[in-house]
Amino acid sequence: MSSTQGLPAGAQVAALTQKLYDADADLRYMSLNDLIALLNTNSSAYLAGDYHTCAKLVDGLLHTLNDTNGEVQNLTIKCLGPFVLKCDPNILAPLVHKIGTQVIDQAVDASVTAMALRTIVVSLPRPSAGLPRTQPVKDAYSAISRVLVPRLVGYIVIPLTEDHKQRPAPPKGLLQEDLDKGTDSNSIDILTEIGKCYGPMLQQPEIKALQQISMQLLESGKSGSIMKKKAVAAISALAHYFSDGLLSAVTSQVIEKLRNVHLTAVNRRLYFNLFAAIARSIPAKFGPHLKQVAPFVITALSQQEVDDQMADEDQQEDHNVHDDEMREAAILALDSFYTSSASDMHRFNKESLEALIRFLRYDPNMAVDDNEQMDDAADEEDFEGDEDFEQEDIADDEDDVSWKVRRCAAKALQTILFARGREYLDNAESYSRIARALVDRFKEREETVRVEVLQTTCFMVRESKEHDPDVDYSEYLNSREQFGSQQTLSRKRRRTDSGAKLSEAKFRRLTGSVSPAVQSPLPSGAPSNLAAAAPDIVRGSLKLALNSSPATKLVSVSLLKEVIAARQGGVNDQLKELFSLITTNLNSSTGASLQSSAAPSSSLHIETMQLLSQLSRTTSSQSLQPYIAETIPVLSKIGEGKSPQLAVEALKTAEQLVKALTPPRTGHQLNKTAATLTQILNLLVSIISNRTSDLLTRQQAIYVLGTMLGRTLSKDGSKLLTKGQRESSLRILSDACHNETTRYVAIKAVDAMSTQGPDGVVYPADWYKNLCVELGHQLRKQDRSLRGASLQALKTLLVDRSGTINLPDAVPVVDLLIPMLSSGDLHLVGPSVQTLGALIRDSATQLLSSEMIKSLCELLRSPTCASVVDQLSFFAECVGKNEAAPKLMQAMLRDVGIGGPSAVVGKVVGDLLTSSGGNAGVKVEDFLSELQTTDDDRRKCLALSVLGEYGLRAGSSSAVKPDLFLNYFDAQDPASEVPMAAAMALGRTAAGAGNIRSCVPVILSRVSKKSNRQNVALHSIKELLQHSEDVQDLSPFMQSMWDASVSTADDDKARTIGAECLSKIAEVEPQAYLQALQALLSNSNENTRLLSILALRDIFTYTDPSYNKYLRPIFISTIDTTLRDASPENRRNALNTFGAAIRGKPELTLPHLSELLPVVLDLTVEDPSLTREVSIGPFKQKVDDGLEARKAAYETIYSLLEASPTSLTHLLPSLFPRIVAGLEDDPTIRGLCIHMLVRLSGTQPEETSRWLDDVASRFEKIIATKLKETAVRTEVEKLEETKRTVVKTSMQVARKVGAGLASGGSSGSGTGSAMGGDAAVGVQVGQGGVGAKWVAFMEDMRREWAALVKEEEKAMRERGF
């Protein structure tokens, strides 16, 4: 470009145009290169108004397009892109016409014309949904509509209006030429791009014309296979813009073709591919047509057609490959139908399953009897472990493609299980048929089919296990039997300790404190069906894993792991074979795989170690002990290898082995166990002490060391390690706490050690002191996670495990903890108060400093103290046992008093008063006197709270009698809080004193009085029910309390407390009152129904697993009834109740989501009947009475997604449409849907990708939103923030979907470039189902929001994306 530098832009263009005619090809090439650079600068903008220059340049480009040099032609095509963006709009139509009609005589490539036209189409400005169509977009469409579309089809589609001259007829269409000659000039690609880029602007005659020529290409006998595939892609791109009439016409046209009995298998395959493509392209619109389309697909897969084919082949002695290709297409179409519109395929479930099972076994070349091959009830043929899968007795046919049919059948079977899984998995007969068919195909000779079969079996096993968002619910359901004897019918214990009981059960199983047993499956359902099929699956996968190709071994090991995880063991009979497999796999190619995590066998090593970990978690220690020792040497070799990924996995496996080998899980053969543990300990010490080891490996070794030390601190466990080994290990752990790179994980290891150790462990004094001080020093760090871990470790050592520390050593730790009380972080304040209480338990006189008391008083005065009231009570009890109680009592009464929440301060003061035994400097009589003499309501409330807590704690020895509080039930001031405090104090005192028979009638008499304060007495009933342990004394009054609570239904102020009382009554006597609570849901009074719904919410929230046996028979019907209530307000509260059930009763909720979630999804749909118009002055505004219910529905779905993402897998096809619809709803709902979309894009990338086009349409509307000029600043800021959120969400979704599809091996090319940096974020068209609309939206967004996109890309890189 040096020869034209310095010249005006017009002169430069003119000079470069002349050089396009030069005889030197190199000069022509360089001129084009300079021209591209010039067109990409702003200086070329003048071309938009210079028609003459543009016309000359068009002639020059046409000349080089017909160049003899292929590189010049390619650069000319590249130059057309920037040129059409800068040229005069009036030149576009002539340009397209000349290129379309020019005969490329010298072309090296016959598709040059099509490539040039395609470049023009994709480069021109295109319409965006929700945005106004600018003039450049209209000009571009005009050129395409007037010139390019007629040039493709060969006739004028849209005639000009009368005031224009009629255009001459175009020459024979480009696609018509391809149709006549049977060639592929790539003109069909132009049609596809027109549909993708300008589909929203195309008129129906144009869409119909393009569709018709595409169908002609598809049906032509001259068209090649590639051309036919392109025609299918073109029709699917146009399908987005089909009118309902055109879609019906196309469907009917193809169906009529399929009715022809003489239709060839090749054409049937094409039509099935077409239906599959349309179903993927427009699932919602095409779904209703499946009832006409699906029967033709299923007929092609019928047994009758197979028999007819076999008969023809017997006569012709030749296998027709086209029939197999047709069946492959039919199965792929079935897969697409279930993927896109599973609900519309419901009526064909039985036929579809039969067809897939049939063709899972389909192998016409096998030299076996037909009946054995195709009969669903055929006996299973055992196959030996050393069988060579490539040497079965088959016909020698290189053209055999039947394996593709079997592979597609296996994949489609997984899809149908994904879409309608519970219908098949919960049915014993269908489950048995599916499992039998899959296991039969473990002997498949074709590896790709075998792997697909194994993957489908893995999916079925995963979907069959108990739903468990955290751990298997069968764990703590089983553990409930173990701890159940310790529980009574005490409502108090069940209310206050239920969380502790549940945590204890889960903790013991998670940490390996009990040796697991095989879980008994439920009497029916998927887990029970899996239990019946598991032995065959394990035997078959073991044979494959022992002797097959690496890919098959990998999936077989994964399948074994899934079965063991789903059944929580159950493989004791196969332990010898399993450990033989484990040692063989870990020893194979160990040297190569340890050098690099990318070695081919590394994945097999990881899966094998995870299998060993799963075995260690779920199999009894006694059964494992004979086999563990042989795995330690190879694990040690892997752990010390150079691959961090393998080393970390080996250490995780070693941790599970340590848990299996140590008490309390095992107490047998400790001598052998000690030798094995010594080997593991040596491995850990070697890794930690080796400074060249990878940091992640060292950190994992430190954590495992903490686990080992904790497991060997008990009396029996101490025999497994020598004193020297233990002391040196403790020193290593202490040193790691001081190291900046390992301190966090070392502190977590200390916490794990103390958590898994017994209570009252005596550590070496100096080590213990230094550790506590070091943990205290970490509380000063800015890293919140480090502070939290340090505080948790201190709490576990001193509170949970009742550790002690000498007075001089405790002083610095206390000084470091005191500042945490005023940190304002409730996650740190609570544990700090508890830890301080444990430290001063035996030395309060010396350690209870003025600074500590001041910080505690400030905490009590803060409004957040209610969040840590239990910890404050623990602290008060610890101080009350020492002589320092008067000092703390005086400070609280003087510095806090009525300055804090009376209920909290009163509880803490009452606990201190009770635990001190009357030695706190004040007496109970002092508070009685204060109550009787003061006129200050706040002081009365405080005194009542103290006396109530004292009465509860002191019990029958209390000097406070319940009758005292009755005098304060009435107050002249309606806003006074004294009656409420008196009612709560009365209930607590009555429960503590055990004087129920005399107190309850008085309380009930207060409830029956018709006054404004009648419902205050209900608080007494609530406190009495919550804290009373004497259930028998309560029984005579239950019905009266029940009636009193039900009577609050119509009182908005008292309804909540009435519901709480109902829930507690039903918890105390479930057999009598749970059914009565359910009966209230049928009451004609909507307020009574609401009362029952609120009571159920409390039951689901607070009851422990032992209560589930009463809930299980009525659970589903109760939830369904509440969700279908006629009142919108009741439905809103019912959704909140369902959310409480998801969080509190997942073991009851998750197995029945298939029944309950559709009801919730229906509640996310806007109901027009609930929208009303209200007048506000001269203005009218619409009010949506159903909005709150919709918000609650989306919140429920979000809670479910948070609690158990995997439980929604088979319901995603129904869930995604509502998430997409929510993007256009209220801002709160939109925010929830955005969060769900981001989460699902990471966990379910393939399903998410299918909905990205719909998401793009909603996002485009949001970004295109314009406010009125009268909009206030707040509205502008909200809209701007919403647009920024959309941009950030789009970036995150695109990156996560791209990563998920790439890791999942999805089809489609260009994944690397799609994810490879700032140039493009996301995925390409066609990858995993991603459509053109999403890709176009991402491109537009990157241009319009470039700065924000760069900012978000940087943030994602920092977060590790």
Side-chain angles (χ1 to χ4, degrees):
M1 195 171 176
S2 59
S3 62
T4 61
Q5 283 183 350
L7 296 176
Q12 292 184 42
V13 172
L16 292 173
T17 303
Q18 290 297 325
K19 294 180 181 180
L20 298 180
Y21 298 93
D22 196 279
D24 188 349
D26 291 338
L27 187 57
R28 297 195 300 274
Y29 181 88
M30 294 304 298
S31 299
L32 284 168
N33 199 42
D34 292 345
L35 189 58
I36 292 173
L38 180 61
L39 290 171
N40 283 322
T41 62
N42 292 330
S43 60
S44 59
Y46 85 97
L47 286 173
D50 192 344
Y51 185 90
H52 181 71
T53 302
C54 290
K56 287 189 174 182
L57 185 53
V58 166
D59 291 337
L61 293 174
L62 290 172
H63 177 75
T64 53
L65 195 62
N66 199 19
D67 204 287
T68 57
N69 189 297
E71 293 182 355
V72 173
Q73 286 183 321
N74 291 336
L75 207 57
T76 302
I77 294 172
K78 184 178 179 181
C79 184
L80 287 170
F83 172 71
V84 296
L85 292 175
K86 298 294 180 66
C87 69
D88 188 319
N90 296 319
I91 204 72
L92 287 177
L95 172 64
V96 173
H97 174 71
K98 288 186 177 182
I99 294 178
T101 56
Q102 182 178 7
V103 179
I104 311 296
D105 297 326
Q106 309 296 331
V108 177
D109 186 350
S111 63
V112 169
T113 298
M115 292 170 61
L117 291 173
R118 182 181 180 277
T119 301
I120 292 173
V121 171
V122 299
S123 301
L124 285 170
R126 66 187 67 173
S128 296
L131 293 176
R133 289 164 184 170
T134 61
Q135 190 59 44
V137 173
K138 295 178 180 178
D139 293 337
Y141 168 69
S142 176
I144 290 173
S145 177
R146 290 191 296 116
V147 181
L148 187 53
V149 172
R151 184 67 185 93
L152 287 173
V153 300
Y155 59 90
I156 297 175
V157 180
I158 305 294
L160 291 178
T161 56
E162 295 180 358
D163 55 342
H164 288 76
K165 293 182 179 180
Q166 185 63 37
R167 288 169 288 170
K172 192 174 186 179
L174 295 174
L175 292 174
Q176 191 65 44
E177 292 178 359
D178 287 345
L179 185 63
D180 294 341
K181 298 177 182 178
T183 57
D184 181 10
S185 65
N186 290 332
S187 298
I188 188 68
D189 296 336
I190 306 173
L191 188 155
T192 304
E193 293 300 334
I194 290 175
K196 291 178 180 178
C197 299
Y198 293 92
M201 298 183 73
L202 290 175
Q203 301 178 54
Q204 281 302 311
E206 293 173 319
I207 295 175
K208 184 176 181 180
L210 296 175
Q211 173 266 323
Q212 287 177 343
I213 191 65
S214 300
M215 284 295 295
Q216 292 174 18
L217 288 169
L218 180 67
E219 297 172 346
S220 173
K222 296 181 180 180
S223 300
S225 59
I226 296 178
M227 174 66 85
K228 292 178 185 291
K229 290 179 181 179
K230 289 182 178 181
V232 169
I235 295 174
S236 66
L238 292 170
H240 283 282
Y241 313 104
F242 282 0
S243 64
D244 293 339
L246 180 57
L247 179 60
S248 298
V250 172
T251 305
S252 300
Q253 177 186 351
V254 178
I255 287 176
E256 287 303 317
K257 299 284 186 180
L258 290 172
R259 293 184 192 276
N260 184 359
V261 294
H262 301 294
L263 190 66
T264 64
V266 174
N267 286 333
R268 291 177 78 187
R269 173 172 61 86
L270 291 173
Y271 293 136
F272 292 155
N273 287 337
L274 177 62
F275 279 141
I278 295 177
R280 290 190 298 268
S281 178
I282 48 172
K285 289 179 65 176
F286 191 67
H289 296 276
L290 288 178
K291 60 184 177 181
Q292 290 90 24
V293 173
F296 292 95
V297 176
I298 294 175
T299 300
L301 301 174
S302 64
Q303 181 65 47
Q304 181 63 43
E305 288 220 1
V306 175
D307 294 340
D308 293 342
Q309 175 198 347
M310 294 296 183
D312 292 342
E313 290 179 0
D314 289 342
Q315 296 176 3
Q316 301 173 4
E317 298 183 358
D318 185 21
H319 180 63
N320 190 350
V321 176
H322 296 306
D323 287 334
D324 289 345
E325 292 177 344
M326 179 270 295
R327 293 192 179 100
E328 178 192 6
I331 294 174
L332 288 174
L334 207 60
D335 184 288
S336 298
F337 296 164
Y338 273 98
T339 299
S340 57
S341 305
S343 58
D344 295 299
M345 288 293 293
H346 178 74
R347 69 187 72 190
F348 304 109
N349 284 350
K350 181 179 179 181
E351 295 86 349
S352 299
L353 180 61
E354 290 177 352
L356 294 179
I357 291 177
R358 180 182 303 116
F359 285 95
L360 189 64
R361 300 169 174 172
Y362 175 72
D363 196 350
N365 289 333
M366 286 291 293
V368 294
D369 183 75
D370 290 343
N371 292 330
E372 291 182 0
Q373 182 64 40
M374 301 304 296
D375 188 3
D376 289 346
D379 294 334
E380 177 185 1
E381 296 180 18
D382 293 330
F383 54 97
E384 300 299 329
D386 58 352
E387 182 179 359
D388 188 345
F389 293 99
E390 306 299 332
Q391 298 297 326
E392 293 188 26
D393 183 14
I394 61 173
D396 184 13
D397 189 357
E398 295 180 356
D399 294 330
D400 176 32
V401 294
S402 63
W403 64 271
K404 294 183 180 180
V405 178
R406 297 193 297 277
R407 184 185 63 182
C408 290
K411 187 176 184 300
L413 185 59
Q414 180 173 336
T415 300
I416 200 173
L417 289 175
F418 173 84
R420 316 294 301 184
R422 306 313 302 183
E423 299 178 20
Y424 299 120
L425 300 181
D426 290 337
N427 183 280
E429 182 180 355
S430 61
Y431 195 104
S432 176
R433 290 187 62 202
I434 296 171
R436 184 68 170 272
L438 289 170
V439 173
D440 282 348
R441 293 318 303 171
F442 283 5
K443 59 186 177 182
E444 170 65 47
R445 70 180 188 277
E446 183 66 37
E447 184 175 31
T448 56
V449 182
R450 191 163 61 242
V451 169
E452 194 68 54
V453 167
L454 290 169
Q455 288 176 343
T456 300
T457 311
C458 280
F459 179 82
M460 183 183 70
V461 170
R462 279 196 300 271
E463 291 295 301
S464 303
K465 66 181 178 181
E466 297 283 349
H467 289 276
D468 53 341
D470 190 29
V471 292
D472 211 320
Y473 289 115
S474 56
E475 293 183 1
Y476 62 74
L477 290 174
N478 215 35
S479 63
R480 184 179 67 232
E481 300 174 3
Q482 181 177 353
F483 297 105
S485 58
Q486 302 174 12
Q487 300 177 3
T488 68
L489 283 176
S490 164
R491 177 63 200 101
K492 175 182 175 183
R493 286 205 183 103
R494 213 166 43 237
R495 168 72 66 170
T496 57
D497 296 340
S498 61
K501 295 288 184 185
L502 180 58
S503 298
E504 181 180 9
K506 292 171 74 174
F507 163 77
R508 293 187 60 160
R509 186 58 74 91
L510 283 171
T511 57
S513 298
V514 292
S515 196
V518 179
Q519 303 300 318
S520 299
L522 298 176
S524 60
S528 175
N529 298 332
L530 173 62
D536 290 338
I537 296 175
V538 171
R539 282 195 298 269
S541 51
L542 260 175
K543 293 175 182 179
L544 290 176
L546 287 169
N547 186 11
S548 57
S549 63
T552 301
K553 282 186 178 181
L554 179 63
V555 187
S556 300
V557 172
S558 298
L559 177 55
L560 288 169
K561 182 183 69 176
E562 293 292 348
V563 172
I564 294 170
R567 293 213 58 221
Q568 291 296 294
V571 290
N572 286 359
D573 295 339
Q574 291 86 18
L575 281 180
K576 183 176 180 180
E577 293 88 347
L578 284 169
F579 273 92
S580 174
L581 168 67
I582 289 169
T583 53
T584 301
N585 286 352
L586 294 182
N587 280 309
S588 63
S589 306
T590 302
S593 63
L594 297 186
Q595 301 304 315
S596 170
S597 60
S601 58
S602 61
S603 297
L604 181 59
H605 279 80
I606 291 173
E607 284 293 330
T608 303
M609 287 186 283
Q610 290 176 354
L611 171 63
L612 179 55
S613 297
Q614 195 64 256
L615 273 174
S616 303
R617 277 192 292 265
T618 58
T619 307
S620 67
S621 301
Q622 187 174 2
S623 301
L624 289 173
Q625 277 185 340
Y627 308 102
I628 288 181
E630 61 190 82
T631 64
I632 302 302
V634 67
L635 283 178
S636 299
K637 191 172 182 180
I638 295 174
E640 293 177 330
K642 294 183 180 180
S643 169
Q645 186 181 11
L646 292 177
V648 168
E649 196 62 49
L651 292 171
K652 290 180 180 178
T653 304
E655 180 184 4
Q656 297 303 323
L657 294 178
V658 166
K659 293 178 180 179
L661 292 171
T662 50
R665 273 190 63 175
T666 182
H668 307 284
Q669 299 179 334
L670 293 181
N671 293 334
K672 294 182 179 179
T673 302
T676 304
L677 283 181
T678 300
Q679 289 180 283
I680 299 177
L681 179 62
N682 292 338
L683 168 65
L684 300 177
V685 172
S686 173
I687 293 174
I688 296 171
S689 59
N690 185 1
R691 299 300 176 184
T692 62
S693 297
D694 180 78
L695 178 60
L696 291 176
T697 306
R698 290 176 57 211
Q699 289 176 341
Q700 186 65 41
I702 291 169
Y703 188 81
V704 177
L705 180 62
T707 300
M708 178 182 287
L709 289 172
R711 305 283 294 196
T712 56
L713 288 173
S714 63
K715 181 179 179 181
D716 292 334
S718 61
K719 302 174 184 178
L720 299 174
L721 295 180
T722 65
K723 182 179 179 181
Q725 288 174 329
R726 184 172 292 102
E727 290 179 351
S728 63
S729 299
L730 289 172
R731 283 196 300 272
I732 291 173
L733 207 55
S734 179
D735 292 341
C737 288
H738 290 78
N739 189 305
E740 187 173 357
T741 61
T742 58
R743 63 188 178 190
Y744 177 77
V745 71
I747 291 170
K748 299 293 285 184
V750 168
D751 184 45
M753 177 186 70
S754 54
T755 298
Q756 301 189 52
D759 293 341
V761 175
V762 179
Y763 297 98
D766 290 341
W767 181 88
Y768 189 69
K769 175 195 72 173
N770 294 332
L771 176 65
C772 289
V773 173
E774 178 61 25
L775 292 175
H777 283 305
Q778 301 299 334
L779 298 177
R780 294 183 174 180
K781 304 295 183 182
Q782 278 197 327
D783 188 343
R784 185 172 181 271
S785 59
L786 180 61
R787 284 186 292 152
S790 303
L791 187 58
Q792 180 61 38
L794 273 174
K795 175 180 173 293
T796 306
L797 285 168
L798 299 172
V799 181
D800 299 343
R801 290 295 173 254
S802 306
T804 58
I805 185 171
N806 296 329
L807 178 60
D809 301 332
V811 173
V813 181
V814 170
D815 292 340
L816 292 166
L817 280 169
I818 290 175
M820 303 301 296
L821 300 182
S822 56
S823 65
D825 190 337
L826 294 179
H827 292 285
L828 302 180
V829 171
S832 299
V833 173
Q834 273 188 291
T835 307
L836 282 171
L839 283 169
I840 67 174
R841 185 164 35 207
D842 301 320
S843 308
T845 305
Q846 296 86 351
L847 294 177
L848 190 63
S849 63
S850 300
E851 184 181 359
M852 185 189 301
I853 294 176
K854 180 181 178 181
S855 297
L856 283 168
C857 290
E858 290 177 354
L859 178 60
L860 279 170
R861 284 196 298 269
S862 69
T864 58
C865 63
S867 302
V868 292
V869 62
D870 292 334
Q871 292 87 341
L872 288 168
S873 296
F874 173 79
F875 182 88
E877 290 178 9
C878 293
V879 175
K881 299 174 183 178
N882 293 269
E883 297 177 358
K887 185 178 179 181
L888 178 60
M889 178 68 78
Q890 183 182 8
M892 287 195 297
L893 294 177
R894 182 187 67 244
D895 299 335
V896 182
I898 59 176
S902 59
V904 177
V905 177
K907 177 175 173 57
V908 176
V909 171
D911 288 334
L912 181 60
L913 182 65
T914 306
S915 59
S916 67
N919 298 320
V922 294
K923 304 292 184 182
V924 177
E925 291 76 11
D926 297 330
F927 291 100
L928 289 171
S929 176
E930 176 78 7
L931 177 63
Q932 295 169 356
T933 58
T934 185
D935 294 328
D936 189 341
D937 282 357
R938 292 181 298 171
R939 294 185 180 278
K940 285 184 180 181
C941 289
L942 178 60
L944 288 167
S945 297
V946 173
L947 293 171
E949 186 67 21
Y950 176 80
L952 175 64
R953 297 285 182 178
S956 58
S957 63
S958 171
V960 180
K961 301 305 178 184
D963 298 343
L964 168 71
F965 304 104
L966 294 173
N967 299 326
Y968 299 93
F969 266 50
D970 298 316
Q972 295 181 354
D973 184 4
S976 176
E977 296 181 0
V978 172
M980 186 70 68
M984 296 179 68
L986 172 60
R988 286 170 172 259
T989 304
N995 195 10
I996 294 176
R997 292 185 180 274
S998 60
C999 292
V1000 174
V1002 178
I1003 296 173
L1004 290 173
S1005 67
R1006 288 279 178 169
V1007 176
S1008 62
K1009 289 183 178 180
K1010 301 298 181 181
S1011 68
N1012 294 332
R1013 295 288 183 176
Q1014 68 179 51
N1015 294 317
V1016 170
L1018 286 172
H1019 288 273
S1020 296
I1021 295 177
K1022 185 195 76 169
E1023 295 294 328
L1024 183 63
L1025 289 166
Q1026 181 170 342
H1027 298 287
S1028 177
E1029 297 185 11
D1030 196 349
V1031 177
Q1032 292 181 348
D1033 286 347
L1034 281 173
S1035 295
F1037 307 102
M1038 284 294 187
Q1039 187 61 48
S1040 299
M1041 289 189 288
W1042 177 271
D1043 295 338
S1045 302
V1046 172
S1047 67
T1048 64
D1050 294 322
D1051 188 341
D1052 292 341
K1053 296 181 179 179
R1055 188 182 300 122
T1056 301
I1057 184 63
E1060 291 183 15
C1061 292
L1062 289 180
S1063 69
K1064 290 177 175 61
I1065 293 171
E1067 291 170 35
V1068 173
E1069 293 190 358
Q1071 293 178 329
Y1073 290 100
L1074 196 56
Q1075 295 286 347
L1077 188 62
Q1078 185 187 21
L1080 293 180
L1081 296 174
S1082 304
N1083 196 286
S1084 58
N1085 186 342
E1086 67 178 49
N1087 290 331
T1088 302
R1089 300 197 302 272
L1090 175 59
L1091 182 71
S1092 177
I1093 292 170
L1094 296 176
L1096 287 168
R1097 182 181 62 189
D1098 288 343
I1099 290 175
F1100 295 151
T1101 301
Y1102 296 114
T1103 56
D1104 62 26
S1106 64
Y1107 196 80
N1108 290 359
K1109 62 183 178 182
Y1110 303 111
L1111 287 173
R1112 186 171 283 109
I1114 67 169
F1115 183 78
I1116 299 301
S1117 60
T1118 299
I1119 294 292
D1120 186 74
T1121 301
T1122 61
L1123 293 176
R1124 298 180 188 277
D1125 196 279
S1127 167
E1129 178 64 16
N1130 287 5
R1131 290 198 298 271
R1132 182 184 69 82
N1133 284 279
L1135 287 163
N1136 293 333
T1137 299
F1138 185 37
I1142 292 170
R1143 294 183 292 272
K1145 300 295 178 187
E1147 64 274 22
L1148 298 179
T1149 307
L1150 299 183
H1152 301 283
L1153 283 182
S1154 297
E1155 304 168 53
L1156 298 176
L1157 188 62
V1159 184
V1160 177
L1161 294 177
D1162 289 342
L1163 295 177
T1164 63
V1165 180
E1166 184 176 357
D1167 186 356
S1169 64
L1170 296 177
T1171 302
R1172 54 191 172 88
E1173 195 175 71
V1174 296
S1175 299
I1176 304 177
F1179 306 102
K1180 291 186 178 181
Q1181 183 176 351
K1182 288 186 177 181
V1183 177
D1184 186 358
D1185 293 329
L1187 177 59
E1188 294 302 320
R1190 289 206 309 280
K1191 287 182 181 178
Y1194 278 104
E1195 288 169 357
T1196 302
I1197 298 171
Y1198 183 76
S1199 298
L1200 185 58
L1201 195 60
E1202 288 279 321
S1204 179
T1206 57
S1207 63
L1208 291 172
T1209 301
H1210 61 289
L1211 298 169
L1212 288 178
S1214 302
L1215 175 60
F1216 259 107
R1218 300 313 312 152
I1219 294 178
V1220 172
L1223 296 174
E1224 295 182 301
D1225 212 315
D1226 181 80
T1228 302
I1229 295 176
R1230 182 168 60 235
L1232 289 170
C1233 291
I1234 284 176
H1235 284 301
M1236 287 189 281
L1237 182 63
V1238 172
R1239 177 178 286 272
L1240 288 170
S1241 64
T1243 58
Q1244 302 288 341
E1246 187 171 351
E1247 184 67 21
T1248 305
S1249 68
R1250 299 189 180 103
W1251 294 92
L1252 288 183
D1253 277 0
D1254 298 297
V1255 172
S1257 299
R1258 273 66 176 185
F1259 281 177
E1260 284 175 340
K1261 291 181 181 178
I1262 295 172
I1263 290 181
T1265 302
K1266 303 290 184 183
L1267 292 175
K1268 297 180 180 179
E1269 295 181 357
T1270 56
V1272 297
R1273 180 179 177 182
T1274 305
E1275 293 176 329
V1276 175
E1277 290 176 349
K1278 284 184 178 179
L1279 179 59
E1280 191 67 19
E1281 182 59 32
T1282 301
K1283 292 181 179 181
R1284 291 173 64 88
T1285 301
V1286 166
V1287 174
K1288 291 181 179 180
T1289 301
S1290 301
M1291 299 290 291
Q1292 294 175 18
V1293 169
R1295 185 61 60 92
K1296 287 186 175 184
V1297 169
L1301 294 179
S1303 62
S1306 297
S1307 61
S1309 60
T1311 305
S1313 64
M1315 296 175 55
D1318 297 341
V1321 174
V1323 289
Q1324 291 186 354
V1325 180
Q1327 183 184 353
V1330 176
K1333 189 175 294 185
W1334 172 261
V1335 176
F1337 165 71
M1338 292 298 296
E1339 293 174 354
D1340 293 341
M1341 185 190 71
R1342 293 185 65 84
R1343 287 195 301 268
E1344 297 176 15
W1345 298 80
L1348 184 58
V1349 167
K1350 283 190 176 181
E1351 177 185 330
E1352 183 61 21
E1353 284 176 344
K1354 181 181 178 182
M1356 286 194 296
R1357 284 194 295 268
E1358 292 174 353
R1359 294 195 299 266
F1361 284 107

